[in-house]
């Protein structure tokens, strides 16, 4: 997963439903998966063109925003670049896609409480962003 042209082809030519949730697995949508892998181009396509349900939650109660936080941090980029990408993705999901930062996962935690309890480098900047928004 990570090839925008292939995602477009699957949705537009093959008729794949981008809102499909496999309830036998974690119940994630394509948006959850794209956020989990920091595929920002696919996230934008799914939100702006495929018009996915940005408020879909998986079996854990996660929105795509939660998946972005819990995904592997930096992949093949350095820490500074990974932090910038993560912050851009979070601001896009909140400001453009309209995903609420107040959505509670199944254990009752919000994204702010989850981020505050994490040890990732970018946590302080994300906490500041979440509090201000």
């Amino acid at each position: 997963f990570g090839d925008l042209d292939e995602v477009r082809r699957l949705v537009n030519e093959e008729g794949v439903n981008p809102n499909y949730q496999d309830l036998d697995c974690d119940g994630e949508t394509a948006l959850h998966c794209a956020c989990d892998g920091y595929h920002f181009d696919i996230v934008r396509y799914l939100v702006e063109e495929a018009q996915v349900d940005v408020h879909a939650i998986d079996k854990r109660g996660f929105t795509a925003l939660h998946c972005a936080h819990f995904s592997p941090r930096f992949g093949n980029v350095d820490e500074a670049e990974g932090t910038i990408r993560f912050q851009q993705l979070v601001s896009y999901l909140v400001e453009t896609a309209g995903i609420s930062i107040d959505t509670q996962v199944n254990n009752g935690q919000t994204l702010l409480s989850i981020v505050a309890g994490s040890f990732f480098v970018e946590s302080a900047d994300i906490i500041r962003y979440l509090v201000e928004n």
Side-chain angles (χ1 to χ4, degrees):
F1 195 74
D3 182 341
L4 177 58
D5 291 332
E6 181 65 8
V7 172
R8 274 196 175 112
R9 187 190 71 73
L10 289 169
V11 172
N12 296 330
E13 295 174 23
E14 301 294 327
V16 172
N17 178 358
N19 286 309
Y20 174 77
Q21 290 180 276
D22 185 350
L23 299 179
D24 290 333
C25 292
D26 289 334
E28 293 180 339
T29 65
L31 184 60
H32 286 90
C33 295
C35 288
D36 188 48
Y38 289 113
H39 299 294
F40 192 67
D41 57 341
I42 295 173
V43 170
R44 290 174 89 166
Y45 164 75
L46 292 169
V47 170
E48 296 172 16
E49 295 180 44
Q51 299 182 348
V52 296
D53 177 6
V54 297
H55 304 292
I57 58 171
D58 68 12
K59 286 186 172 182
R60 301 165 293 185
F62 284 17
T63 64
L65 188 58
H66 295 101
C67 288
H69 173 69
F70 282 109
S71 69
R73 281 312 194 221
F74 306 117
N76 59 356
V77 298
D78 65 33
E79 192 172 298
E81 177 65 21
T83 298
I84 291 168
R85 287 183 185 184
F86 177 66
Q87 292 170 343
Q88 289 172 335
L89 181 57
V90 168
S91 66
Y92 177 82
L93 292 171
V94 172
E95 295 171 21
T96 302
I99 297 178
S100 173
I101 61 171
D102 296 321
T103 302
Q104 294 181 357
V105 297
N106 291 345
N107 67 4
Q109 289 185 295
T110 64
L111 184 63
L112 180 59
S113 63
I114 293 168
V115 173
S118 70
F119 299 101
F120 298 118
V121 172
E122 73 278 357
S123 293
D125 291 332
I126 295 299
I127 290 169
R128 187 177 307 105
Y129 172 82
L130 293 172
V131 168
E132 290 173 356
N133 291 288

